[in-house]
Amino acid sequence: MPSTSHPLRALNVEPSLLQGLHELIAGLNMADAELPGQPRVEIARTRQQVSLAAQLMAHAFVHNQDKGWLAWLPPSEVARVRCGDLRRAQEKIARVIDYLCMAAAFEGGLVLIESAQTPQGREIRGASLWGLPPAVPRSEPWWHLAAFGAAAALRSYGPLRALAAAGAANALVRASLQTLREQGLAQRCIYAQMGCVRPVHQGQRVSRRMFEPFRLLADRFGLIYRLESSSPETNDQRVFSNFRFEKIGEHRFGASRFNSVGPYTINLMVRRPQPELPCS
């Protein structure tokens, strides 16, 4: 994957939301500045940061054997993962995540990373991809999909599995948006597309640091905060319920000759904005 450090294009996020996000991140980082390792979160602004975030997310998803990510790899690759050989699967999935992070930037997406100081320098411990209401509504250009998306999918999955993976991703988007409509929830929202913590740093409040600025932002602007949980058996109660997410539906992937893990379910979840309590 590319590792150059040149800056990314300007973020396509509503200016008031982006300004609010910067303020909230700065305040939270200041509050954590005295903690061991001086943990902080920041918006990824270079290709190198996005690439490192994609590698971290791929490592965590493969390490945790996330079915939503392993499903479209060949069965032989899934068998290697289950035997402890993670390297090739991580490379394949990181390639796809790197593309998805870049594609999301056209539509209001941004990557957030959490890091802490170590004797060897700052270490990225968590990474997440977010979607916010865009400043200028637009879609990923066809040339970007053709040049980068198709190439990443073909190299990672092969042609038939790439088509199956794309179809599954589109079906999940349709199911999620339809559920929002059926529940009368606004589609203008904050969208936690994916996120993870490096396994060795789980339990160190890394997830909370990445989620907190968006929780505060959602409450400030009265926005729904939504996500799809691809590991409901581990994350829904352990992580998301603590942030007041509620399940509003689910999307099931059935057995298929291109699905290497068998049927699995993704929970559709939202957090409704919480009114600020008046000062007493």
Side-chain angles (χ1 to χ4, degrees):
M1 291 186 297
S3 60
T4 55
S5 59
H6 60 76
L8 302 174
R9 67 179 70 86
L11 295 172
N12 181 24
V13 176
E14 286 184 8
S16 59
L17 289 174
L18 188 58
Q19 178 63 32
L21 182 60
H22 281 303
E23 292 171 359
L24 291 167
I25 288 174
L28 293 168
N29 285 342
M30 185 176 299
D32 288 345
E34 300 302 318
L35 295 177
Q38 298 178 312
R40 69 169 183 246
V41 294
E42 61 186 300
I43 297 171
R45 299 308 302 263
T46 69
R47 284 293 293 119
Q48 183 179 42
Q49 286 180 317
V50 171
S51 180
L52 290 172
Q55 291 174 42
L56 187 155
M57 286 190 272
H59 170 76
F61 294 145
V62 174
H63 180 274
N64 295 333
Q65 297 193 24
D66 188 301
K67 291 181 179 179
W69 281 103
L70 296 185
W72 312 109
L73 294 175
S76 59
E77 203 65 72
V78 176
R80 287 191 187 93
V81 170
R82 289 172 173 165
C83 290
D85 182 0
L86 312 183
R87 182 184 59 81
R88 287 183 20 151
Q90 289 173 7
E91 290 175 355
K92 291 175 182 291
I93 291 174
R95 189 181 296 126
V96 174
I97 294 176
D98 185 73
Y99 155 71
L100 292 174
C101 290
M102 298 305 298
F106 290 101
E107 304 175 6
L110 61 85
V111 174
L112 197 76
I113 55 178
E114 195 269 8
S115 65
Q117 191 66 36
T118 73
Q120 293 73 40
R122 290 205 73 85
E123 177 190 14
I124 296 178
R125 306 189 300 180
S128 46
L129 174 62
W130 302 83
L132 288 89
V136 180
R138 60 177 175 174
S139 300
E140 177 192 11
W142 67 267
W143 58 264
H144 192 271
L145 172 61
F148 299 102
L154 288 172
R155 287 184 64 194
S156 295
Y157 300 135
L160 296 180
R161 291 183 183 280
L163 288 173
N170 291 334
L172 177 59
V173 170
R174 290 194 299 269
S176 184
L177 295 180
Q178 180 179 343
T179 302
L180 289 178
R181 288 192 294 269
E182 291 173 349
Q183 301 258 343
L185 299 173
Q187 296 188 33
R188 180 180 176 273
C189 61
I190 293 175
Y191 178 24
Q193 296 191 40
M194 67 179 85
C196 69
V197 176
R198 196 182 296 275
V200 297
H201 296 299
Q202 289 178 352
Q204 298 177 22
R205 300 176 66 86
V206 176
S207 288
R208 182 170 292 278
R209 288 190 185 92
M210 290 191 293
F211 273 77
E212 187 72 356
F214 295 96
R215 179 189 70 79
L216 296 171
L217 191 70
D219 289 350
R220 178 183 293 186
F221 287 88
L223 296 175
I224 293 292
Y225 184 164
R226 74 178 176 96
L227 59 82
E228 291 104 25
S229 171
S230 58
S231 296
E233 65 281 355
T234 58
N235 287 336
D236 288 8
Q237 292 302 315
R238 185 174 61 86
V239 179
F240 301 136
S241 65
N242 292 331
F243 295 108
R244 297 188 178 180
F245 279 91
E246 60 184 277
K247 178 180 174 181
I248 60 169
E250 60 184 32
H251 183 65
R252 298 177 185 238
F253 290 102
S256 145
R257 68 190 182 103
F258 300 119
N259 175 350
S260 299
V261 300
Y264 65 96
T265 299
I266 289 183
N267 282 351
L268 311 177
M269 308 186 75
V270 298
R271 179 189 179 278
R272 302 171 195 268
Q274 309 292 311
E276 294 185 7
L277 297 175
C279 296
S280 57

